[in-house]
Amino acid sequence: MTAVKQMEIRELPIPRAGAGEVVLNVEYVGVCGSDVHFFESGMRKGKFFDLPFILGHECAGTIVETGPGVTGLRQGDRVCFEPQITCGTCVYCRSGHYNMCPDVQFPSVPPHDGMLRDFVAIPAHLAYKLPDSISTLEGALIEPLAVGLSAASRGGVSLGQSVVILGAGCIGLLTMMACKARGAAKVILCDLFPSRLQKALELGGDTVINAREEDVQARVLELTGGTGADVVFETAGNPHTAAQTSDLVRRCGVVVMVGNINGETPYRFMDLMYKEGEIRTIYRYRNNFETALQMVASGKIDLRRIVSHQFDFQDVQLAFENSLNDRQDVIKAVIKL
């Protein structure tokens, strides 16, 4: 990224593998909503970041070099990458909550360059070998699936429960698939775009609500026998849908905030208090890449169907423009290097 809304392909030296590292020949990179945000604004947390900058963190590829001390991986292995490079020594890392590490380096979040490059050196312990049954394309989508699994886990979704998901974009759909895999009996998705809602039905959603045409609260109550949903997920990253959650959750139910909501959000906490409902949040994911791989390898979750658009590397500018300007139809764009 060389300017706001401007991508350019440049030549870089091929890295070498240091101690505990492998060099990855990247083959696929997913376009994440955070990447699109940086592309559109050139800002992080309200401040412009330095350019040029390399975006992309959802990736998979083939190992071409291993560094000293690397075991269990070798040249030619296909792997995906968990892009949370943490200190390993702080109280959060040592307690297993490494996603809370204050010194994390997350590729594609400024100032840490991302994965949209042919070759990159990564810590070997963050490279997960792909089973033969998982394609490299699917491997690039393990990272966003980890978000969906984390959301479903935080919501405590279990057999027979009813779930409402506000937002049928990539993360909303992956959260839906995670909830169905955990045994949710009824998953209801709400969105503004018919194409996204149709995709939700194709991927296993039970019922969809077009928020432009229907009263979401009335429809959810109708579908849940007047009680509201056991678990409500906000995945749209929108203050309006965030404020809706207290209306849709049942008494003693759980609300999980998944989407990135910037700015202030008006919320009727008393309504939630009357229900003794809970609000929970997630921040990325932790300790679940192996679970994500097992879910895909077993066939419980089919990641290939989440991809709506695929672009060649030389068309990276078009990939980002389409992801930004055609959100209605671009569910998930993937770039093939």
Side-chain angles (χ1 to χ4, degrees), residues 11-198:
E11 293 291 330
L12 296 173
I14 296 177
R16 301 302 305 269
E21 292 183 333
V22 297
V23 172
L24 185 63
N25 178 196
V26 180
E27 296 173 33
Y28 289 95
V29 177
V31 180
C32 177
S34 63
D35 295 322
V36 176
H37 167 72
F38 293 144
F39 172 76
E40 178 183 21
S41 67
M43 303 179 76
R44 183 192 177 212
K45 294 184 177 179
K47 296 181 180 180
F48 287 101
F49 53 83
D50 292 336
L51 296 172
F53 184 71
I54 301 173
L55 293 168
H57 57 267
E58 305 170 357
C59 74
T62 301
I63 293 174
V64 295
E65 182 186 356
T66 60
V70 173
T71 59
L73 293 171
R74 62 184 180 180
Q75 185 177 345
D77 283 346
R78 296 181 309 114
V79 300
C80 62
F81 170 51
E82 180 177 356
Q84 297 188 97
I85 305 172
T86 61
C87 73
T89 59
C90 70
V91 64
Y92 306 106
C93 287
R94 288 186 285 111
S95 66
H97 293 79
Y98 59 87
N99 59 320
M100 292 288 101
C101 177
D103 296 318
V104 65
Q105 298 178 34
F106 196 94
S108 83
V109 175
H112 308 293
D113 277 328
M115 308 300 290
L116 266 171
R117 37 185 161 168
D118 290 308
F119 299 94
V120 62
I122 62 172
H125 72 279
L126 296 176
Y128 290 78
K129 190 173 179 179
L130 298 178
D132 292 340
S133 59
I134 296 181
S135 68
T136 312
L137 170 61
E138 291 171 296
L141 301 177
I142 293 296
E143 197 271 352
L145 175 57
V147 177
L149 290 176
S150 181
S153 176
R154 284 287 283 162
V157 175
S158 60
L159 285 169
Q161 286 193 318
S162 60
V163 169
V164 167
I165 299 174
L166 301 174
C170 177
I171 295 300
L173 294 175
L174 288 171
T175 300
M176 174 201 74
M177 295 167 83
C179 290
K180 294 296 287 186
R182 290 173 65 99
K186 182 180 293 183
V187 180
I188 305 162
L189 289 102
C190 306
D191 204 285
L192 299 172
F193 300 122
S195 57
R196 289 189 174 193
L197 296 173
Q198 179 59 40

Side-chain angles (χ1 to χ4, degrees), residues 104-297:
V104 65
Q105 298 178 34
F106 196 94
S108 83
V109 175
H112 308 293
D113 277 328
M115 308 300 290
L116 266 171
R117 37 185 161 168
D118 290 308
F119 299 94
V120 62
I122 62 172
H125 72 279
L126 296 176
Y128 290 78
K129 190 173 179 179
L130 298 178
D132 292 340
S133 59
I134 296 181
S135 68
T136 312
L137 170 61
E138 291 171 296
L141 301 177
I142 293 296
E143 197 271 352
L145 175 57
V147 177
L149 290 176
S150 181
S153 176
R154 284 287 283 162
V157 175
S158 60
L159 285 169
Q161 286 193 318
S162 60
V163 169
V164 167
I165 299 174
L166 301 174
C170 177
I171 295 300
L173 294 175
L174 288 171
T175 300
M176 174 201 74
M177 295 167 83
C179 290
K180 294 296 287 186
R182 290 173 65 99
K186 182 180 293 183
V187 180
I188 305 162
L189 289 102
C190 306
D191 204 285
L192 299 172
F193 300 122
S195 57
R196 289 189 174 193
L197 296 173
Q198 179 59 40
K199 189 69 170 179
L201 291 173
E202 293 173 6
L203 293 176
D206 296 293
T207 307
V208 296
I209 300 172
N210 187 324
R212 289 188 194 277
E213 301 174 355
E214 299 182 78
D215 183 319
V216 173
Q217 181 180 2
R219 184 71 173 125
V220 167
L221 290 176
E222 176 188 347
L223 292 167
T224 58
T227 65
D230 294 298
V231 188
V232 177
F233 296 92
E234 200 294 322
T235 64
N238 185 288
H240 176 72
T241 49
Q244 272 188 313
T245 56
S246 63
D247 297 326
L248 309 179
V249 70
R250 69 164 175 83
R251 295 186 180 194
C252 304
V254 175
V255 171
V256 184
M257 296 296 186
V258 184
N260 296 324
I261 303 171
N262 293 306
E264 297 182 358
T265 299
Y267 201 85
R268 298 182 305 279
F269 282 99
M270 187 60 73
D271 291 351
L272 192 66
M273 290 172 64
Y274 283 143
K275 295 180 176 181
E276 203 171 89
E278 295 183 42
I279 294 179
R280 301 174 187 172
T281 64
I282 70 163
Y283 188 64
R284 296 176 182 152
Y285 39 78
R286 65 178 186 274
N287 304 311
N288 67 356
F289 259 56
E290 289 288 359
T291 301
L293 286 167
Q294 291 168 12
M295 297 293 267
V296 178

